[in-house]
Amino acid sequence: MTQTHATPPADIDWSTLGFSYIRTDFRYLSHWRDGAWDAGTLTRDNVLHISEGSTALHYGQQCFEGLKAYRCADGTVNLFRPDQNAARMQRSCERLLMPAPNTEAFIEACRQVVKANERFIPPYGTGGSLYLRPFVIGVGDNIGVRSAPEFIFSVFCIPVGPYFKGGLSPMNFITSLYDRAAPHGTGAAKVGGNYAASLLPGQEAKERHFADAIYLDPETHTKIEEVGSANLFAITQDGRTFVTPKSPSILPSITKYSLLHIAEHRLGLDVVEGDVFIDGLDAYAEAGACGTAAVITPIGGIQHGDTFHVFHSETEAGPVTKRLYDELVGIQFGDREAPEGWIVKV
């Protein structure tokens, strides 16, 4: 897809973009009825019309995804690893007894939304991107605790800047006494209930002037699992190993697994998915939060009880974190060669 200027760019100050809802022109909508998805369509209507008995409203039968489209220097547009988002949505749907769009349908829906909203893609060089939010919800007349009779698959988009203000500036976090997810619950699925559970601890963290809460493992409360709505990574003191937590209740971040690949194959680091103990932070020189929205946010320090642990710095990102960020963002915006299959041109 090239920038033809068939429609004028949106009247947006790209330099001040944050992470908030902006209504764009079109979104994709498909219904599942009688055992099959319909052909789907683009619509200008940003309001869903659903039954008051929809399982999404009463029983949390819904899941969602997040991915981005990036304007490249040559005017083309990249989707970053949409097949991985499709696969994760399929796993989430399976966990919640919902039908999922297949990978081809998922990617095609995303393509259509990006093309239809081309004027909202932030220009190359602004640091912004077009955030896509695919979701599946259970709808239809129902009242019992059961899977819905009908489902909606939709994709909408918004232009976004950084999720945490300050870009690659370090942020401080605080551990929470609350659990994000149960040990054998829905933590590995991208479902709304996990995020609803994080609202209160997130608010309490912000009231104490931290960026967000850090969640420990729900069984022992000794190991870091997630950083707010992002995954965690850390770099050992010798700068040679990239470490990230592993647990069945962690959402498998596509950004994290991309960084694992980059760390090993481009930076030559050893990579480990394992335990990151909250009382063992001295083993790490750097740490960061990563995800589609956050990209990479360096962690300046972590408050745990009465102890505040500082990593590389509270004011600047560490050297390995910077290299990881430059490599990842360079791939996303087309400035660096991508591993095979990572980029889908719109």
Side-chain angles (χ1 to χ4, degrees):
M1 172 178 165
T2 57
Q3 193 167 12
T4 61
H5 298 290
T7 56
D11 184 16
I12 292 173
D13 182 353
W14 305 112
S15 66
T16 61
L17 267 182
F19 199 90
S20 59
Y21 182 84
I22 295 173
R23 181 172 177 174
T24 51
D25 292 335
F26 292 96
R27 62 275 312 136
Y28 177 89
L29 191 66
S30 179
H31 289 84
W32 186 91
R33 299 186 180 99
D34 301 321
W37 291 104
D38 64 18
T41 186
L42 292 174
T43 175
R44 288 187 177 271
D45 188 1
N46 73 332
V47 177
L48 292 175
H49 305 267
I50 63 175
S51 168
E52 61 188 357
S54 294
T55 59
L57 299 177
H58 301 279
Y59 307 124
Q61 194 180 30
Q62 58 85 250
C63 68
F64 67 98
E65 276 299 320
L67 66 158
K68 289 178 178 177
Y70 305 83
R71 176 75 70 189
C72 301
D74 63 1
T76 61
V77 176
N78 286 348
L79 278 174
F80 182 71
R81 309 194 75 180
D83 59 320
Q84 298 302 303
N85 291 95
R88 190 169 65 181
M89 173 167 274
Q90 289 156 11
R91 294 193 298 270
S92 295
C93 284
E94 182 180 14
R95 178 64 178 83
L96 268 63
L97 293 182
M98 299 193 296
N102 63 38
T103 300
E104 181 180 2
F106 180 97
I107 295 176
E108 177 58 26
C110 292
R111 281 180 185 270
Q112 289 186 30
V113 169
V114 173
K115 287 181 179 179
N117 295 287
E118 187 266 350
R119 71 190 188 96
F120 289 94
I121 303 174
Y124 174 81
T126 63
S129 53
L130 190 70
Y131 181 83
L132 277 69
R133 172 56 61 85
F135 61 92
V136 175
I137 61 173
V139 297
D141 296 331
N142 179 74
I143 198 61
V145 182
R146 61 176 67 90
S147 187
E150 300 176 9
F151 296 87
I152 286 174
F153 167 53
S154 183
V155 183
F156 68 92
C157 67
I158 55 172
V160 298
Y163 185 77
F164 291 112
K165 293 181 180 179
L168 202 59
S169 299
M171 309 290 283
N172 295 331
F173 296 84
I174 184 171
T175 58
S176 176
L177 295 176
Y178 292 99
D179 292 329
R180 172 185 161 271
H184 303 286
T186 58
K190 197 168 177 67
V191 299
N194 297 340
Y195 295 81
S198 74
L199 293 176
L200 178 60
Q203 176 180 286
E204 291 181 352
K206 292 176 178 66
E207 288 173 351
R208 295 186 61 180
H209 307 292
F210 291 93
D212 210 334
I214 283 184
Y215 299 100
L216 304 179
D217 71 290
E219 288 189 298
T220 71
H221 286 193
T222 61
K223 298 174 283 188
I224 292 178
E225 290 215 329
E226 294 210 17
V227 184
S229 57
N231 279 191
L232 175 125
F233 69 87
I235 308 300
T236 53
Q237 287 288 358
D238 60 8
R240 296 179 179 177
T241 306
F242 177 104
V243 182
T244 186
K246 185 174 185 178
S247 163
S249 54
I250 291 177
L251 180 73
S253 165
I254 293 158
T255 302
K256 180 185 78 173
Y257 283 106
S258 300
L259 290 175
L260 277 164
H261 180 93
I262 290 169
E264 181 177 8
H265 297 283
R266 303 233 169 148
L267 273 62
L269 304 179
D270 295 326
V271 295
V272 175
E273 284 188 86
D275 295 333
V276 177
F277 289 97
I278 190 61
D279 62 358
L281 299 182
D282 288 341
Y284 306 105
E286 302 176 38
C290 62
T292 297
V295 190
I296 292 178
T297 297
I299 297 176
I302 294 176
Q303 183 78 41
H304 179 60
D306 296 328
T307 302
F308 183 66
H309 177 87
V310 176
F311 293 96
H312 174 77
S313 166
E314 289 186 74
T315 58
E316 64 177 22
V320 178
T321 299
K322 286 180 181 177
R323 291 176 65 197
L324 288 167
Y325 178 86
D326 289 344
E327 196 70 28
L328 174 65
V329 173
I331 291 169
Q332 291 171 334
F333 282 98
D335 297 325
R336 303 196 182 191
E337 184 179 357
E340 185 177 357
W342 279 26
I343 296 299
V344 172
K345 286 290 184 183
V346 175

